[in-house]
Amino acid sequence: MKEKIILGMKKSLPICIGYFPLGLAFGVIAQNYGMNPFEVGLMSILLFSGSGQFITVAMMTIGASFLTILITILLVNSRYMLFSAALSLHLKKFPSWLVGIITAGITDETFVVATTHFKENKPEASFWLALNVTSHLSWICSTILGAFVGNFIPNMETFGLNFALPAMFIALFFMTAENKLMVSTGIFAGIFSMFLINFGFTDSNILLATLVAATLGVVLKRWKAN
Amino acid sequence: MESKLIVLILALGAINFSMRFFPALILNKLDLPEVVRDWLSFVPVATIAALVLPMLLEWNGEIVNISLENKNLLAGIPAIISAGITKSLGITLATGMIAMALLQFI
């Protein structure tokens, strides 16, 4: 069990490195908006979502209503529902309370790293929790740090830190694209997502592109099998 | 003002937790048909692609900028190559960030 925990922490290390500049940037922006480190920390504990948190602060800044923010986050983070559904296949033997704790740590990054690991290993709660909790802690700490240091941090671009998120997603794409069909499905999803953004679906593009592309993927798979 | 923010954070937290928890909790108890499992197997790659392509093509507020100005796209090339070869999160992250840092000097 101890080895599984250490393995989980090791696997979360690149996630932590990627989260650090993002979390720092979020803390700075939230502090500029007027949030204190406690509020930033609470938000990172409860939301644990880069996209969700940046959008929330951006919307508060322009004075969006409570309901508008809730609906937008529901759309922007709706991919977690799909991730959760996909993870149910690995959570079969776990009691509900454990499912609750594990799924609370779902992000794009922890989801892909966990599912990639479970392709060759049995789902282990200790590994999974270590991965999620370490990643979550790094997110919480870096956002709080950002809120404390505020504008004292140097220009992120000098260190390439602004590219941490795209670089992480590029790796996640290659980790999830196991075969040609998945690569094609992904490319279609990316292009369709661009198309939706172009037509103003900037909150729902990810969900819509995923729903359409995954359906296309299944249809192609069935069609090829026949 | 401040308590309003805390209420918002709690509400958003509840939404995010529900979206993360309930699908797994409910589907966990069912035996999903093969077509649904197949469909779910395409979700990760589709979501990640739908997230990353806009990030790479966007530059300076333009939705699509395919030119040498777009440093996200330029730094993306070595990152894609290293991800394709290594499939490693750490190595891709390092390659992409170093490429982006070097691009600041050009």
Side-chain angles (χ1 to χ4, degrees):
Chain A
M1 178 153 144
K2 203 178 153 193
E3 295 138 47
K4 299 280 175 198
I5 293 175
I6 292 171
L7 184 64
M9 291 170 80
K10 262 191 195 160
K11 289 265 181 182
S12 83
L13 191 65
I15 299 180
C16 298
I17 295 170
Y19 280 174
F20 182 73
L22 283 181
L24 215 55
F26 174 76
V28 173
I29 290 169
Q31 190 246 20
N32 282 339
Y33 166 73
M35 284 171 72
N36 63 40
F38 168 76
E39 291 158 344
V40 170
L42 185 69
M43 199 177 197
S44 296
I45 292 169
L46 295 179
L47 265 73
F48 191 19
S49 162
S51 51
Q53 290 178 222
F54 275 107
I55 289 170
T56 302
V57 173
M59 290 185 79
M60 289 193 301
T61 309
I62 58 166
S65 76
F66 200 88
L67 193 64
T68 316
I69 299 177
L70 290 191
I71 293 169
T72 306
I73 298 307
L74 195 69
L75 272 174
V76 170
N77 286 347
S78 52
R79 61 184 188 278
Y80 297 149
M81 285 196 265
L82 301 174
F83 290 167
S84 173
L87 286 179
S88 69
L89 305 173
H90 299 290
L91 287 160
K92 283 269 182 253
K93 287 181 187 134
F94 294 2
S96 301
W97 62 269
L98 193 54
V99 173
I101 299 175
I102 290 175
T103 54
I106 295 176
T107 63
D108 303 304
E109 295 79 14
T110 58
F111 170 76
V112 173
V113 170
T115 45
T116 309
H117 182 72
F118 296 145
K119 269 177 217 157
E120 282 154 21
N121 301 276
K122 265 201 306 185
E124 288 269 356
S126 48
F127 166 83
W128 212 337
L129 285 174
L131 172 76
N132 288 2
V133 171
T134 314
S135 307
H136 200 163
L137 279 176
S138 78
W139 176 248
I140 297 166
C141 294
S142 54
T143 55
I144 293 177
L145 183 67
F148 270 118
V149 298
N151 293 322
F152 295 106
I153 60 162
N155 189 358
M156 301 265 231
E157 286 168 11
T158 320
F159 303 101
L161 293 175
N162 51 337
F163 199 65
L165 190 63
M168 260 201 300
F169 281 123
I170 288 171
L172 297 180
F173 177 79
F174 283 92
M175 289 161 77
T176 49
E178 294 161 51
N179 52 47
K180 277 185 193 155
L181 189 55
M182 289 202 166
V183 174
S184 335
T185 306
I187 292 172
F188 173 81
I191 294 169
F192 193 55
S193 166
M194 291 299 310
F195 177 83
L196 290 165
I197 290 176
N198 202 35
F199 284 93
F201 294 90
T202 46
D203 295 325
S204 53
N205 65 308
I206 296 155
L207 177 70
L208 292 175
T210 303
L211 295 177
V212 174
T215 308
L216 183 77
V218 173
V219 171
L220 286 176
K221 192 177 174 185
R222 300 274 140 148
W223 181 62
K224 268 173 83 180
N226 290 326
Chain B
M1 171 64 217
E2 288 213 342
S3 61
K4 211 178 141 195
L5 176 62
I6 300 289
V7 173
L8 179 67
I9 293 174
L10 293 176
L12 292 172
I15 286 181
N16 270 2
F17 180 75
S18 307
M19 290 197 292
R20 283 168 166 137
F21 180 45
F22 290 112
L25 182 73
I26 296 160
L27 298 179
N28 193 357
K29 312 256 187 267
L30 308 170
D31 267 323
L32 296 175
E34 202 192 331
V35 63
V36 179
R37 272 183 284 153
D38 269 352
W39 190 85
L40 288 173
S41 73
F42 286 104
V43 165
V45 74
T47 306
I48 300 296
L51 280 161
V52 73
L53 196 63
M55 285 182 193
L56 294 179
L57 297 181
E58 190 268 350
W59 186 253
N60 265 346
E62 277 180 79
I63 296 173
V64 181
N65 181 330
I66 302 179
S67 75
L68 293 176
E69 273 173 32
N70 185 344
K71 289 180 182 166
N72 285 336
L73 197 57
L74 292 179
I77 296 166
I80 287 169
I81 294 169
S82 71
I85 296 169
T86 65
K87 296 195 193 293
S88 151
L89 189 52
I91 295 171
T92 310
L93 196 59
T95 312
M97 282 166 59
I98 291 169
M100 183 52 99
L102 292 176
L103 282 168
Q104 307 305 319
F105 296 106
I106 296 170

